[in-house]
Amino acid sequence: MSTLLKIDGLQASYGHAQALFGVSMAVDAGQVVTLLGRNGMGRSTTIKCLFGLLAAKAGNIVFGGQPLAQMASHQIARLGLGLVPEGRQIFTNLTVEENLVATARAPRAANQLEPWTLQRVYRLFPRLQERRSNLGWQLSGGEQQMLAIGRALMTNPRLLVLDEATEGLAPIIRTEIWNALAALKQEGLSQIVIDKNVGALLKLADRHYVMERGIVVWSGDSHKLRGEPEIIHQYLGV
Ligand SMILES: Nc1ncnc2c1ncn2[C@@H]1O[C@H](COP(=O)(O)OP(=O)(O)OP(=O)(O)O)[C@@H](O)[C@H]1O
Ligand SMILES: [Mg+2]
């Protein structure tokens, strides 16, 4: 399996407060990988560095064979990285359909996946089709989350990164989102998923990285993690 993303020795700070102390992780093509950890352990900070939203102090990030150092976030996105950010951040004064097309992008030549269209997003999330003319602020939290995922898919990413995509949602909506992520994996879309629902992640993901105070303290596949429940207890507090 070929490596799609490799992060090595990543360090980052907010002012004088260092948040990452050498994070290393990798995603192979077609894999789903998780970043696990309690609040404030550096998961979102890792993602901010990956997307060029926070400058790394040290370390390397290579995506699809290309080093991302010094690249602006719009250039990074263009390489095929799609972000579903913490807090969704949809455009509340645009309609569902306007949100979906606002940042849409044609697939790059290197991208072998089936191209995304409005119809394909609506097939994945039928609720969005029903709500297509509604403004962002008129949507429920779950619909906003589906929209954030649909908007990221419309950029035709090779790697989809979801930061707390089921946070605060009703169980039935969470299930719909987990099913959508499983369907996307079936179609070959690589993903990094940050979430507190370890049960769902054990089923969906191939590999897990557990973070504690800005470093990766454990990594392994779902089989290994299932066999070490003390890791889940110690580092995730569940
Ligand atoms: N904008 C910011 N300014 C200063 N410090 C920050 C900022 N964002 C995060 N931090 C700090 O960096 C550390 C890592 O935070 P990060 O947001 O990466 O955590 P996380 O693992 O995503 O957890 P959660 O999302 O549950 O808070 C924490 O100590 C946090 O307080
Ligand atoms: Mg976070």
Side-chain angles (χ1 to χ4, degrees):
M1 222 184 250
S2 69
T3 305
L4 181 60
L5 173 73
K6 199 160 192 321
I7 297 179
D8 262 313
L10 185 66
Q11 296 188 39
S13 300
Y14 296 101
H16 293 298
Q18 189 160 350
L20 301 182
F21 294 87
V23 172
S24 299
M25 63 177 290
V27 182
D28 287 343
Q31 267 195 338
V32 176
V33 159
T34 73
L35 279 181
L36 301 173
R38 279 190 295 256
N39 293 342
M41 292 307 168
R43 297 162 303 157
S44 295
T45 304
T46 302
I47 298 312
K48 282 184 218 165
C49 291
L50 172 59
F51 281 83
L53 302 169
L54 179 68
K57 276 198 350 181
N60 292 307
I61 304 178
V62 178
F63 177 71
Q66 177 138 13
L68 302 188
Q70 318 299 333
M71 270 197 207
S73 51
H74 68 273
Q75 293 172 303
I76 292 171
R78 213 177 289 146
L79 291 176
L81 277 150
L83 178 61
V84 180
E86 212 170 12
R88 302 159 200 149
Q89 298 176 26
I90 59 155
F91 305 116
T92 50
N93 53 357
L94 297 184
T95 66
V96 165
E97 199 143 307
E98 287 166 347
N99 265 278
L100 290 172
V101 298
T103 54
R105 196 183 299 114
R108 304 182 86 232
N111 191 340
Q112 309 281 306
L113 303 168
E114 188 189 337
W116 284 92
T117 60
L118 283 173
Q119 281 62 41
R120 193 166 167 224
V121 170
Y122 291 150
R123 245 182 283 136
L124 185 67
F125 294 123
R127 278 157 172 273
L128 291 182
Q129 181 153 33
E130 291 161 25
R131 304 287 257 145
R132 58 197 287 219
S133 304
N134 285 106
L135 298 171
W137 63 265
Q138 296 173 313
L139 305 179
S140 70
E143 290 164 346
Q144 289 190 355
Q145 191 61 66
M146 292 171 195
L147 180 55
I149 296 171
R151 183 179 59 176
L153 291 173
M154 288 292 282
T155 70
N156 282 294
R158 281 198 287 164
L159 176 63
L160 183 68
V161 179
L162 302 111
D163 195 348
E164 309 269 16
T166 67
E167 179 82 9
L169 302 181
I172 189 165
I173 307 291
R174 290 183 180 204
T175 301
E176 198 172 336
I177 289 176
W178 289 119
N179 289 343
L181 299 186
L184 294 170
K185 181 187 182 182
Q186 278 289 319
E187 291 165 12
L189 181 62
S190 310
Q191 302 168 44
I192 297 176
V193 185
I194 297 177
D195 204 277
K196 295 199 171 57
N197 190 336
V198 179
L201 292 174
L202 280 169
K203 275 188 247 161
L204 175 72
D206 300 289
R207 194 165 355 152
H208 309 272
Y209 292 90
V210 178
M211 292 190 68
E212 173 90 349
R213 294 172 209 276
I215 57 163
V216 172
V217 291
W218 187 95
S219 68
D221 63 16
S222 287
H223 180 73
K224 185 176 166 198
L225 186 54
R226 269 196 209 96
E228 298 181 36
E230 67 279 6
I231 291 292
I232 297 174
H233 179 71
Q234 181 179 356
Y235 293 114
L236 310 180
V238 290

